[in-house]
Structures are given as structure tokens and as C-alpha cells.
Amino acid sequence: GQNIDQPTEMTATEGAIVQINCTYQTSGFNGLFWYQQHAGEAPTFLSYNVLDGLEEKGRFSSFLSRSKGYSYLLLKELQMKDSASYLCAVIDSNYQLIWGAGTKLIIKP
Amino acid sequence: IAGITQAPTSQILAAGRRMTLRCTQDMRHNAMYWYRQDLGLGLRLIHYSNTAGTTGKGEVPDGYSVSRANTDDFPLTLASAVPSQTSVYFCASSLVKGGTDTQYFGPGTRLTVL
């Protein structure tokens, strides 16, 4: 079966750095998305990786290792507004999007 | 309209009743999707449409039907609601189906079936 694993919940301090991991076992791979979802709101696009390596976008970076079936989202200089769930999603060989359950990130002052 | 809208925002429904969730996008996207999101589970695809006039089944289609009469609208119908259909429903769209196109989500409909 297809599976995406993320930690259920993480806590970090305002101003710090946090890394949210995502491991996947899917039938093929055609890319990986990270989405942010604030409580009670819709998911919004953060990043897309299809090649190995690090993609940086402001305070957010996303890393991919296809050989390890692994990605992480790195959030720097954490702000209270970063409190949200972070969803990892993988495009499989049939170009279907497989979603992880999400990681709830709690930011403390 | 800018992006995707959904209606209603929330609804409480008696079991056995019929309900249609509405979704409209103004981005001229070809592909549209319906997901349900339940606590502790990832988004699960109910139905999708690659383009106007075509629809397909996702991971959890039972008890739901869709239609795509035009590019902009993609309603989801529960013919006879059951309590297990209590969930948050998100409509999404992308320029094309599959591939690497980013999906854009509507604000969601919170449905409670009693």
C-alpha cells in the first residue's frame, strides 16, 4: 500500500528553527508538495520538489531525497503565525496525489 | 469571485436527507476535485473531474456523486446522508489533472450528519 508518515504534532519556540519530516512509500514518485493549513482554513501551497536537494523560499525551505523516500520542511525564524498544520503530499506513478495526515506545529512565545 | 468558493460554509443534516455541496472556481482550471478531511487522516479524494463533461472516482467515492456540466462548477451530492459522512469537505482545482500542477483549495464545508 501507499503510505506517508509525518509526526502528528511538534512544538517549537518563537524565533527558533524547526524541521518537519515526511517519509513516503508510494508506487512511483513524480513529485512532492508541502501545504500549510491554519485551523479551520483551506490548505495553501508552500513548496514543490521533484529533484533531490534543497529548495529555499524565504523563511521556508524544503528538502528531498528520492533514494531515501524522505523530505523535510524547514521553517526558520519562527513566528506565531506559523502555528498551523503542515501537509506532505506525494504524486505517485499514476499522477495521483497521496496525502499525509499532517503535522500540527505549535509555536510558543 | 476570486479563486474557489464553496457553499454552504457549514450544515447540520438529518440522516437520510439529500444534500448538495456547491463549488465554483473562476480560474478557468480544467481539473477539479472533492476531498474530505477527517481528524487524524490525510485528505482523501472522493471524486475528480479532468475537464468539463468528465468525472472519475477517487479513493472514497461511495455515497457521493458529482457532475461537471461546465468548467466553473463541480457540485458534490450526498444522495442519502449517513453519520459517517460527517466531515470537512474541500473542493480544489488545478490547471490540469495530475502531474505537478498545484491544487488550489476552497474554504471548505463543515458537514454534520445526525
Side-chain angles (χ1 to χ4, degrees):
Chain A
Q2 309 209 83
N3 194 49
I4 296 182
D5 289 316
Q6 306 179 235
T8 303
E9 186 175 296
M10 299 181 69
T11 302
T13 304
E14 190 177 15
I17 299 173
V18 71
Q19 177 175 311
I20 302 173
N21 296 325
C22 170
T23 58
Y24 60 88
Q25 301 90 38
T26 56
S27 58
F29 177 86
N30 283 296
L32 185 145
F33 286 97
W34 284 97
Y35 277 75
Q36 180 189 59
Q37 185 177 24
H38 285 101
E41 298 183 7
T44 56
F45 170 79
L46 281 179
S47 67
Y48 169 73
N49 294 70
V50 66
L51 299 176
D52 290 351
L54 188 68
E55 294 277 345
E56 297 186 76
K57 193 183 294 185
R59 295 189 298 114
F60 292 11
S61 302
S62 56
F63 171 83
L64 175 66
S65 169
R66 289 172 297 172
S67 63
K68 295 182 179 178
Y70 167 69
S71 173
Y72 67 73
L73 182 69
L74 191 71
L75 291 72
K76 303 175 185 177
E77 301 170 15
L78 286 169
Q79 302 175 10
M80 297 303 293
K81 68 179 182 180
D82 297 329
S83 292
S85 289
Y86 292 86
L87 313 181
C88 174
V90 172
I91 307 168
D92 70 8
S93 58
N94 294 319
Y95 289 93
Q96 299 291 331
L97 199 55
I98 312 300
W99 294 84
T103 299
K104 182 179 181 180
L105 178 63
I106 300 168
I107 309 296
K108 296 186 174 181
Chain B
I1 299 177
I4 301 181
T5 58
Q6 293 184 235
T9 302
S10 64
Q11 182 75 43
I12 298 174
L13 190 66
R17 297 297 295 268
R18 180 184 179 89
M19 175 74 191
T20 295
L21 307 185
R22 299 185 299 279
C23 174
T24 300
Q25 54 101 1
D26 66 353
M27 297 179 284
R28 308 305 294 173
H29 283 173
N30 290 302
M32 297 186 75
Y33 315 84
W34 274 105
Y35 290 97
R36 60 178 289 172
Q37 187 175 42
D38 302 290
L39 197 64
L41 299 177
L43 287 162
R44 292 185 291 169
L45 184 66
I46 304 170
H47 284 287
Y48 65 90
S49 169
N50 290 343
T51 188
T54 69
T55 62
K57 293 182 179 180
E59 179 186 356
V60 288
D62 293 343
Y64 306 95
S65 63
V66 291
S67 62
R68 187 88 183 276
N70 57 61
T71 298
D72 298 346
D73 301 301
F74 191 43
L76 175 74
T77 297
L78 289 67
S80 179
V82 295
S84 62
Q85 292 178 312
T86 293
S87 187
V88 180
Y89 291 85
F90 287 102
C91 180
S93 72
S94 62
L95 188 58
V96 295
K97 168 66 169 62
T100 62
D101 274 351
T102 300
Q103 292 187 16
Y104 296 88
F105 287 80
T109 293
R110 185 173 296 275
L111 182 67
T112 302
V113 183
L114 302 176

